[in-house]
Amino acid sequence: LGLSHDLGLLFDSGDGCDFTVNVQDISEQAEFAICVHRLILMIYPGLNITNDSRNLTVNVSHTCHPHVSALLRYFYTRQIDVSITSAQCLHELAFIFGVKKLMEDVGRAFTLLLPEDNTFRTQLSMYEYGVRTGDFVLQENVLQYLSWNCEFLINSPLWSTISFHMMDALLQRSDLIVKDEALLLEALERWIQDKGDEISLDQQASLLNHIRFFLIPVDKLYEMQFSSNVLRQNHEKLYLTGLLRGFQFNALLFSKIRNQIDNMSSEYLPRIYTGDEWSVSINDTTVDYQYYHHYSYGQNNRIQTFSTPAHPSALYREQMVQWQARVFLNAQECSNNGIS
């Protein structure tokens, strides 16, 4: 840690620097230079610095110019502060300078910052940037966050701005948290309508194939027969095939369709559905209570029992499974209830 601090002071002072990093932005014609130590940069093979090198010129978007100094200081100290406003620029700079480890570290740090922007603008921007740079860790972290907050995303003004690439990736996930599959289909229909000619018929069909018609409640399947929307008009055969297979799933014993599962496994996987039939809400997580009282008022407010059908299929609606949901606020509560 002491060495890291001292090297940081060396960068700040510029004493004995012998190498120039020229930063420019073609569109703005803005340029500035920072003097650094060639020996430090030679530690990073991605920069291709040799004993004969005297300078390095990099093209950096104008908005990221203020963060170049912090990135170069990282070469000395291996430490850098990441915030919601600097994350994308630091990630871009790490990509430009070829520092793969920093790219991954910024991507991981960004996951802690994701909830700070409840408008979803930063998350969507970071995902598209991750696609451009080929950073799969960053893409996955953003997709997981958006999956867990899917209903909020669907209801946000930015839903209609999502790219086809992101929509395709989201609809393939089983960790989407939505009220039910029918809500997801409605959201997809609205997104396609908003996009207009921007989404081709082939792209529409590929997205429709990600909808898990088997898991749409049977009463909603029945209502959908009589609905009229863009997806149905453009892909009536595909749409009606989905409805038919949904009805089959609700009418046939599971043993009858088991042999088809290997070929269509993802279609049978439920997402995380939060409809009244499948979930219970516990909001009271801040009640003060005495630890020594095993079943205090505060804890009882955080225990809910409920039941669900054994399976989404209408055939199993009468078979109920009992559940108990509990919220533990700390390790002491867990140990009091025999949970490590």
Side-chain angles (χ1 to χ4, degrees), residues 1-289:
L1 290 176
L3 177 61
S4 174
H5 175 73
D6 291 345
L7 287 174
L9 294 178
L10 177 64
F11 170 79
D12 295 339
S13 68
D15 292 343
C17 65
D18 56 357
F19 189 90
T20 303
V21 176
N22 298 306
V23 182
Q24 62 184 24
D25 179 358
I26 298 174
S27 61
E28 297 288 337
Q29 296 299 314
E31 185 172 341
F32 64 94
I34 299 177
C35 190
V36 294
H37 299 81
R38 182 172 62 249
L39 182 63
I40 297 291
L41 268 60
M42 287 175 67
I43 297 172
Y44 298 86
L47 296 176
N48 295 318
I49 305 298
T50 67
N51 284 323
D52 298 325
S53 303
R54 292 290 177 265
N55 58 69
L56 175 69
T57 300
V58 291
N59 293 318
V60 177
S61 61
H62 189 67
T63 53
C64 292
H65 280 191
H67 303 285
V68 174
S69 180
L71 186 280
L72 293 175
R73 198 176 196 275
Y74 167 85
F75 290 149
Y76 289 71
T77 64
R78 305 289 176 94
Q79 297 181 22
I80 196 164
D81 291 328
V82 182
S83 68
I84 194 72
T85 54
S86 69
Q88 186 166 338
C89 275
L90 293 178
H91 195 278
E92 181 179 334
L93 290 169
F95 174 71
I96 291 171
F97 282 89
V99 191
K100 188 174 181 180
K101 183 180 184 304
L102 180 60
M103 282 178 64
E104 293 174 352
D105 288 343
V106 171
R108 276 188 281 272
F110 181 70
T111 62
L112 303 175
L113 303 170
L114 282 171
E116 291 187 15
D117 182 2
N118 59 11
T119 68
F120 295 106
R121 290 186 186 281
T122 303
Q123 293 87 337
L124 298 190
S125 173
M126 285 299 283
Y127 176 79
E128 296 302 338
Y129 172 73
V131 171
R132 290 198 305 274
T133 57
D135 189 325
F136 297 109
V137 174
L138 182 60
Q139 291 175 51
E140 172 58 25
N141 288 338
V142 175
L143 283 174
Q144 188 177 73
Y145 176 81
L146 295 177
S147 297
W148 290 354
N149 293 276
C150 189
E151 275 199 60
F152 297 102
L153 176 62
I154 286 172
N155 292 319
S156 79
L158 292 186
W159 175 249
S160 61
T161 69
I162 289 176
S163 66
F164 169 78
H165 189 283
M166 175 180 278
M167 182 65 74
D168 186 59
L170 277 174
L171 292 181
Q172 294 184 59
R173 299 179 70 94
S174 292
D175 58 350
L176 284 183
I177 298 181
V178 287
K179 182 179 179 183
D180 56 38
E181 195 73 16
L183 176 72
L184 196 59
L185 176 57
E186 291 168 11
L188 174 61
E189 291 166 349
R190 179 160 49 88
W191 178 84
I192 287 175
Q193 195 162 5
D194 290 342
K195 288 289 187 182
D197 296 336
E198 192 178 327
I199 305 300
S200 70
L201 291 178
D202 286 344
Q203 288 176 323
Q204 291 179 23
S206 69
L207 294 176
L208 184 58
N209 276 323
H210 295 323
I211 295 297
R212 301 174 186 180
F213 283 92
F214 300 105
L215 299 166
I216 295 177
V218 67
D219 52 338
K220 293 194 176 181
L221 279 174
Y222 181 75
E223 293 169 6
M224 285 163 56
Q225 291 182 99
F226 312 108
S227 65
S228 176
N229 54 64
V230 175
L231 264 179
R232 180 163 181 174
Q233 291 167 9
N234 294 342
H235 309 279
E236 185 162 21
K237 184 178 179 181
L238 192 60
Y239 200 91
L240 293 178
T241 299
L243 291 180
L244 175 62
R245 292 169 71 190
F247 283 124
Q248 287 176 337
F249 189 68
N250 283 276
L252 294 172
L253 290 173
F254 199 63
S255 56
K256 281 277 189 185
I257 52 177
R258 188 188 301 275
N259 61 341
Q260 297 293 325
I261 288 183
D262 289 339
N263 299 326
M264 303 175 291
S265 55
S266 64
E267 296 182 65
Y268 290 91
L269 284 176
R271 306 186 203 268
I272 304 174
Y273 300 122
T274 60
D276 293 340
E277 191 176 29
W278 299 104
S279 69
V280 64
S281 295
I282 301 176
N283 293 321
D284 194 355
T285 57
T286 56
V287 177
D288 292 326
Y289 59 92

Side-chain angles (χ1 to χ4, degrees), residues 327-340:
V327 177
F328 299 117
L329 296 186
N330 49 55
Q332 182 67 48
E333 282 192 25
C334 291
S335 60
N336 285 348
N337 290 275
I339 297 172
S340 61

